[in-house]
Amino acid sequence: MTDTMTVWRQRRYGSADAVRPETVPVPAPRAGEVLLQTDAVALNSGDIHLMRGEPGLVRVALGLRGPRIRGRGMDVAGTVLAVGDGVTEFVVGDAVVGSGRETLADRVVVSAKRLTRLPETVAPAIAATLPIAGNTAVQTLDACRVGSGARVLIAGAGGGVGTFLVQLAADRGAEVWATCGERARPVLERLGAARTFDYRALELSDLPRGRFDAVVDIAGEPPLTVLRDLLAPGGTAALVGGDGHPFFGPFGRILRSAVTRGRFRPITAVTRTETTAQLVELAASGRLTPHLERTFPLSQAGAALAYVEAGRTVGKVVVVRDGLLDV
């Protein structure tokens, strides 16, 4: 194993062209940590927000002039190369998936507590999509108490979280309606949506009032009163995403939801290893099939970030280790 590696980092906030490959020493795992060979990294909207430093409020915590955490990437699937003191649950050679920091790199150190073992039947590119987007979808469905027979509307369902929501809600026995771009409609229908609508041709207010037990807003644009009016008695509206104000982001909308009559649940995703393990089991059984729109080699991670930044991705974009063909 060489003493140096490539990691994709940025010195300033900006678009994808601000993120460049750097050669750095290979890190050593400390107590409780694992060193991974990176096999696959799934990109999320959060990677783009951090890259740009948006909304402006996040810079208070992450660095006013430039990001304190310079490397991009959070999700990762990889192979254990070394373990730190006290790590007993993994050994060299284990395939794992989890989330960490600066995962767009040849190798990455991750806390062992944030990792889940992978079976051979789940490819790294599939596994890498599960931690953040998958956990967000599960947390959202749990918050809305979605079960068999529930009627669910997902607004803005074409991205990573949305495609997971459609599959997981349908797997629970819910009837799922979804709004999305025209290109995403056949994908969502294949994943389990009973009905899909092109958001350009439909106003949510045109849908039946009081019909849905759960309304999940990923788009972040519909008025809260419209979401409320779509809910059946006892229903819940989950606020998952949306850009919002350039400085405050979605926080203003979240505050307004607290004083708007109706049941609103802002979702702040937390990645839990037990939830990731459940998602891995679903993927291994074939009940969950993440939609990969494109894969890029790690040497083209900048192009992958630019592709996601363009905002037209259906499902997930994944960066894989150069030469890794099993995607």
Side-chain angles (χ1 to χ4, degrees):
M1 185 170 65
T2 60
D3 295 331
T4 61
M5 67 176 196
T6 298
V7 57
W8 285 79
R9 287 177 171 168
Q10 61 186 120
R11 301 286 171 168
R12 59 178 176 83
Y13 293 117
S15 296
D17 59 3
V19 185
R20 303 291 182 86
E22 296 183 7
T23 300
V24 300
V26 174
R30 297 175 295 184
E33 294 179 336
V34 171
L35 175 66
L36 300 181
Q37 172 187 268
T38 302
D39 292 328
V41 174
L43 299 180
N44 298 279
S45 60
D47 294 302
I48 305 304
H49 287 300
L50 293 175
M51 179 180 77
R52 291 174 166 179
E54 296 174 349
L57 187 61
V58 305
R59 300 191 185 194
V60 176
L62 300 179
L64 293 176
R65 300 187 177 214
R68 294 193 186 98
I69 301 172
R70 293 176 175 170
R72 297 281 61 85
M74 295 179 282
D75 286 337
V76 62
T79 305
V80 176
L81 295 177
V83 299
D85 291 341
V87 176
T88 58
E89 57 267 55
F90 302 110
V91 297
V92 172
D94 282 346
V96 295
V97 62
S99 57
R101 295 177 173 178
E102 298 191 323
T103 61
L104 279 175
D106 292 323
R107 298 174 182 85
V108 61
V109 167
V110 182
S111 169
K113 294 180 179 179
R114 304 192 70 178
L115 294 173
T116 298
R117 194 183 308 275
L118 281 178
E120 293 181 358
T121 53
V122 180
I126 294 296
T129 67
L130 302 176
I132 292 177
N135 272 258
T136 302
V138 170
Q139 183 177 337
T140 301
L141 295 175
D142 288 347
C144 294
R145 299 163 303 187
V146 171
S148 180
R151 296 167 300 179
V152 179
L153 173 66
I154 304 170
V161 173
T163 50
F164 274 109
L165 278 165
V166 168
Q167 291 188 77
L168 293 170
D171 186 71
R172 294 186 182 197
E175 177 190 339
V176 183
W177 292 16
T179 70
C180 57
E182 185 65 27
R183 193 164 59 90
R185 292 182 66 184
V187 174
L188 295 178
E189 289 164 4
R190 175 177 58 82
L191 297 178
R195 297 189 65 180
T196 62
F197 307 89
D198 185 342
Y199 73 90
R200 299 176 187 87
L202 174 83
E203 296 290 340
L204 289 186
S205 55
D206 295 333
L207 294 174
R209 292 166 61 99
R211 187 186 192 283
F212 300 99
D213 302 297
V215 175
V216 181
D217 176 28
I218 303 175
E221 296 176 354
L224 296 174
T225 53
V226 170
L227 301 179
R228 180 195 64 196
D229 291 344
L230 291 168
L231 290 173
T236 302
L239 308 179
V240 177
D243 294 330
H245 189 275
F247 182 79
F248 293 105
F251 299 111
R253 195 163 189 259
I254 290 170
L255 290 174
R256 291 196 301 277
S257 73
V259 297
T260 301
R261 183 174 57 83
R263 184 180 174 88
F264 292 93
R265 290 292 301 273
I267 303 298
T268 303
V270 177
T271 304
R272 298 185 174 92
T273 53
E274 58 268 27
T275 300
T276 302
Q278 293 167 6
L279 293 165
V280 168
E281 290 179 5
L282 289 173
S285 70
R287 290 166 60 189
L288 180 63
T289 55
H291 178 72
L292 303 188
E293 176 161 292
R294 284 195 63 177
T295 57
F296 291 79
L298 181 61
S299 58
Q300 297 178 23
L305 287 165
Y307 191 89
V308 176
E309 185 182 17
R312 294 185 294 273
T313 302
V314 177
K316 299 293 293 183
V317 168
V318 178
V319 177
V320 299
R321 173 165 51 88
D322 287 52
L324 184 67
L325 299 179
D326 183 17
V327 299

